[in-house]
Amino acid sequence: MATLARLQARSLLVEHQYYFRNSVVDVFREKENGAAVKIQSWFRGCQVRTYIRHLHGIATVIQKCWRSCLGRQRYQLTVKLAYYTMKMNLYNAMAVRIQRRWRGYKIRKYCFNYLYLKAYLKSVSETNDAVREALDEFAEMKEREDKKASLEREEKKRDYQARKMHYLLSTKQIPGIYNSPFREHPDPWELRLQKARPLTPPRPKPKRTVSLSSWLACTSARSFPRSEILPPIDRKQCQGPFRAIAEVLEQRYKPLEPTLRAAEPIDGLKETRKEFREQEGSRNLHNVFLPFSSYHKNKKYIPSLHLSSKYTSDSYGSQHFRDKNPKKWICDKDFQTVLPPFDLFSKYGKSYSKAGQIL
């Protein structure tokens, strides 16, 4: 009983000791478990890193082999291209040299042959000298003919004047004005008047009489006389700064230009409105609504007059106050003012302020 009593008295202490020892064991067990986990994680990490390093080395070797293969192929292609380019340049140089020789020979032989050009220029100069001599002779002959013709015209004029003034010839009773008794020798016109014949007045043309038989013969259609073409009238040009006859006739007989009120009909407004209604009706006939088709997608967009017009608002009065017409400019630069600008306007918005704000 005494032992049981002692055990009962020590039961609380045994319970505390049991709990303390179990807690210490749990703490030690968790510490050992954490250390084991850390060791395992380090070892596995080392193992995985070693395997990854091994895979990286293998991948590096594969990439190196593949890239070297690609580099050799690219190098071979570059070498082939360079060889082809060098060969083509050589062939082009050879072709250019052959063409240069041939063209030089052709130009010297056929186009710019020195001996041929020399002979040609010599023949041209000889032909030119011959033509100039012929032209000089022709000019001299023409001048002699003109002088001869002018002398003949003057001689004819003097003969006509002498025939016209034949009444001034001197007679045995009365001396003429060209044979004055106070002269030692008569005037040359006196001799000319003696040789010339007097100018007779023109004879009047006999009037043409038409008999009755001839008039009856002319009335038939087949025997009607045909009028000959009249000679042109030698109309002298009027003196003075007058306009040409064709221009005057064109202005005189120009067509009638009626006014807008006379040219347009009275009911022009009604006709125009009727035409607009017809156009609008024909336009609405083709405006078909098809909900289950793509007809409206293919329809061309027609912009409005405001958007499609090239005319915009006038900039006169808002951007500039002077009309500009670059087509009438003498030079490429715009008109520059001679007077200097106003300092007051140049300082506007910079030097004046109101309550800390720039105007």
Side-chain angles (χ1 to χ4, degrees), residues 290-325:
L290 301 176
F292 301 103
S293 65
S294 60
Y295 177 78
H296 62 284
K297 297 181 181 178
N298 300 329
K299 187 177 180 181
K300 187 178 179 180
Y301 175 71
I302 302 175
S304 62
L305 182 63
H306 178 69
L307 298 178
S308 61
S309 177
K310 63 179 181 180
Y311 301 102
T312 56
S313 60
D314 192 6
S315 58
Y316 180 79
S318 59
Q319 298 180 3
H320 60 87
F321 296 91
R322 181 170 57 86
D323 293 336
K324 297 181 181 180
N325 191 0

Side-chain angles (χ1 to χ4, degrees), residues 28-41:
F28 185 72
R29 188 185 295 110
E30 290 178 0
K31 186 177 181 181
E32 288 181 350
N33 189 16
V37 169
K38 186 178 293 185
I39 293 169
Q40 289 177 0
S41 64

Side-chain angles (χ1 to χ4, degrees), residues 97-231:
R97 186 173 298 177
I98 295 171
Q99 291 176 0
R100 183 173 58 195
R101 295 291 178 85
W102 165 249
R103 288 173 182 173
Y105 171 75
K106 183 180 178 182
I107 290 296
R108 290 190 298 272
K109 181 68 177 176
Y110 299 102
C111 298
F112 298 102
N113 192 351
Y114 175 72
L115 298 176
Y116 175 74
L117 288 177
K118 186 176 179 181
Y120 173 72
L121 292 176
K122 185 177 179 180
S123 63
V124 168
S125 62
E126 292 176 356
T127 307
N128 188 18
D129 295 339
V131 170
R132 288 178 67 88
E133 291 177 1
L135 289 175
D136 293 338
E137 293 177 0
F138 179 75
E140 293 177 0
M141 183 181 66
K142 195 72 175 175
E143 187 176 359
R144 289 196 299 270
E145 290 180 356
D146 292 342
K147 287 182 179 179
K148 185 178 178 180
S150 62
L151 291 175
E152 290 179 355
R153 285 195 298 270
E154 290 177 0
E155 190 67 22
K156 287 182 179 180
K157 189 176 181 181
R158 291 194 190 96
D159 291 342
Y160 178 76
Q161 191 173 4
R163 291 181 64 188
K164 194 175 181 180
M165 296 187 303
H166 191 271
Y167 62 92
L168 298 176
L169 181 65
S170 59
T171 60
K172 292 181 180 180
Q173 300 294 333
I174 302 173
I177 60 174
Y178 296 110
N179 192 12
S180 177
F182 301 102
R183 289 185 178 182
E184 297 179 358
H185 303 284
D187 194 85
W189 274 96
E190 181 67 21
L191 301 176
R192 188 179 290 274
L193 291 175
Q194 292 177 3
K195 294 179 181 180
R197 293 185 306 169
L199 185 65
T200 58
R203 296 179 180 179
K205 294 182 180 181
K207 294 183 179 181
R208 185 178 179 182
T209 59
V210 181
S211 61
L212 182 61
S213 60
S214 62
W215 180 80
L216 292 174
C218 291
T219 53
S220 61
R222 294 184 179 181
S223 62
F224 194 83
R226 296 182 180 180
S227 60
E228 299 180 356
I229 299 175
L230 298 176

Side-chain angles (χ1 to χ4, degrees), residues 277-290:
R277 290 195 199 96
E278 292 178 357
Q279 292 179 359
E280 186 177 0
S282 62
R283 196 185 304 116
N284 293 332
L285 288 176
H286 298 285
N287 190 6
V288 183
F289 176 69
L290 301 176

Side-chain angles (χ1 to χ4, degrees), residues 237-252:
Q237 189 176 4
C238 299
Q239 298 181 359
F242 302 116
R243 291 188 298 176
I245 300 176
E247 186 179 355
V248 175
L249 294 177
E250 182 180 1
Q251 183 180 2
R252 181 178 296 176

